[in-house]
Amino acid sequence: MALIKKFRIKNFKTQSPVAKLENVSLSFDKRQILDNINFNLNSGEIIGLLGPNGAGKSTIFNLLIGLLKPDFGKIIIENNEVNEEPVYIRAQNYKIGYVPQYGGYFQDLTLIENLKAASEVLIKNESDRASRISQLVHKFALDNVQEIKAKFLSGGQKRKLVICMALLGEPKILLCDEIFAALDVLTIHMLKEILVNLQRENPKMCIMICEHQARELLSIVDRALILSNSKIIAEGSPNNLIKNEVARSHYFGEFFN
């Protein structure tokens, strides 16, 4: 399918990053997972995170949402160090939305019950919950399946549900972990359109996507990072990244285009 992103944001130098990792290192059982990682997440950008299995991509997400603490370095969100802040504080106070690779919903609850449960955590004003849920159900064309239990939804509908749950609190940062995994071509294209539309509709939201499917990812991001051997080995726009010799030799391979 043709690329769907009509534009790319070229320059974020004049903007303050909404979040950043500063000199972050982390080890598990003496195995170095991340080694002195530094990068910014900028307001209004779609940023991609690529790398082989076990490179530490999901670990970076877990550090950002608060499931893990770094051994060294700082997690900065809105100019505040949040290393000690728990998951729920980051979700509520810093408005971080998270779309996990697997699950993220209650299987035996209906789609609408899942959204109501999540809204109780993410939306303080009770009167705002129903209107926000209705807005998202309609926006993602889930009206006809809202009374179906989540475990009986299709793969694409489950992804839409989890994205809706992440969007309930109107996040400033949306983290999507392997969002295209195990989906058919048409569903992947639908999700790409959703993400690009979110950027257009919410120009201050930062969307970060961790993904193995490099072509799909590079077709919609403004900037991408490649993580390998515990370090960020390359960073840049999609066009520049696929021309980068280090990126081609360590990740893409010579025949990637």
Side-chain angles (χ1 to χ4, degrees):
M1 288 188 178
L3 302 189
I4 61 173
K5 193 169 178 69
K6 300 292 190 293
F7 68 93
R8 297 190 191 279
I9 299 174
K10 302 291 186 183
N11 194 326
F12 292 91
K13 291 182 179 178
T14 60
Q15 298 190 25
S16 298
V18 65
K20 55 186 174 179
L21 274 64
E22 290 186 350
N23 309 116
V24 167
S25 296
L26 180 68
S27 298
F28 293 143
D29 295 329
K30 299 182 180 180
R31 176 178 171 241
Q32 189 83 47
I33 304 299
L34 301 174
D35 183 12
N36 197 36
I37 299 295
N38 293 273
F39 67 85
N40 293 346
L41 284 78
N42 298 304
S43 175
E45 122 184 282
I46 300 181
I47 177 173
L49 185 58
L50 292 164
N53 284 331
K57 302 186 297 299
S58 293
T59 299
I60 285 177
F61 277 21
N62 288 334
L63 286 166
L64 284 166
I65 65 176
L67 285 176
L68 293 173
K69 297 179 184 179
D71 297 330
F72 304 99
K74 298 177 181 179
I75 311 296
I76 309 290
I77 303 177
E78 295 185 348
N79 297 318
N80 296 312
E81 182 183 330
V82 297
N83 287 26
E84 302 301 321
E85 300 281 9
V87 173
Y88 75 95
I89 291 293
R90 297 194 201 186
Q92 291 178 341
N93 293 3
Y94 297 104
K95 292 189 174 296
I96 297 179
Y98 179 48
V99 181
Q101 179 179 1
Y102 302 110
Y105 54 84
F106 299 101
Q107 293 206 45
D108 285 319
L109 295 184
T110 65
L111 183 144
I112 199 73
E113 288 170 342
N114 269 282
L115 291 172
K116 287 179 179 177
S119 73
E120 291 177 5
V121 176
L122 296 171
I123 302 175
K124 293 181 180 179
N125 190 329
E126 186 175 351
S127 63
D128 292 337
R129 293 172 189 165
S131 61
R132 180 64 175 157
I133 289 171
S134 177
Q135 177 189 24
L136 288 169
V137 166
H138 180 69
K139 177 183 177 65
F140 286 87
L142 294 169
D143 306 75
N144 293 333
V145 295
Q146 54 184 316
E147 299 299 335
I148 295 177
K149 287 189 176 182
K151 63 184 177 183
F152 297 126
L153 297 173
S154 70
Q157 289 166 344
K158 288 175 181 176
R159 286 287 200 282
K160 282 184 177 183
L161 167 60
V162 181
I163 293 172
C164 286
M165 292 171 73
L167 291 175
L168 279 167
E170 300 182 276
K172 296 178 181 178
I173 302 172
L174 180 65
L175 304 173
C176 302
D177 193 358
E178 301 284 355
I179 196 170
F180 305 139
L183 295 176
D184 62 83
V185 173
L186 288 176
T187 302
I188 289 172
H189 189 74
M190 172 199 68
L191 290 174
K192 287 164 63 177
E193 288 184 323
I194 285 172
L195 293 169
V196 172
N197 287 335
L198 282 174
Q199 182 187 41
R200 188 179 67 249
E201 295 163 4
N202 304 272
K204 292 187 178 180
M205 181 193 293
C206 175
I207 302 172
M208 188 172 195
I209 308 166
C210 161
E211 187 55 59
H212 277 107
Q213 300 196 47
R215 287 185 179 84
E216 305 291 1
L217 182 74
L218 293 177
S219 71
I220 61 170
V221 300
D222 301 299
R223 175 169 61 102
L225 313 170
I226 297 179
L227 190 65
S228 181
N229 295 321
S230 307
K231 295 180 179 292
I232 294 174
I233 60 168
E235 176 181 357
S237 68
N239 286 338
N240 290 337
L241 204 59
I242 61 176
K243 298 173 185 175
N244 185 299
E245 291 186 7
V246 174
R248 294 189 74 84
S249 63
H250 285 79
Y251 183 69
F252 292 122
E254 292 304 315
F255 301 103
F256 184 87
N257 58 63

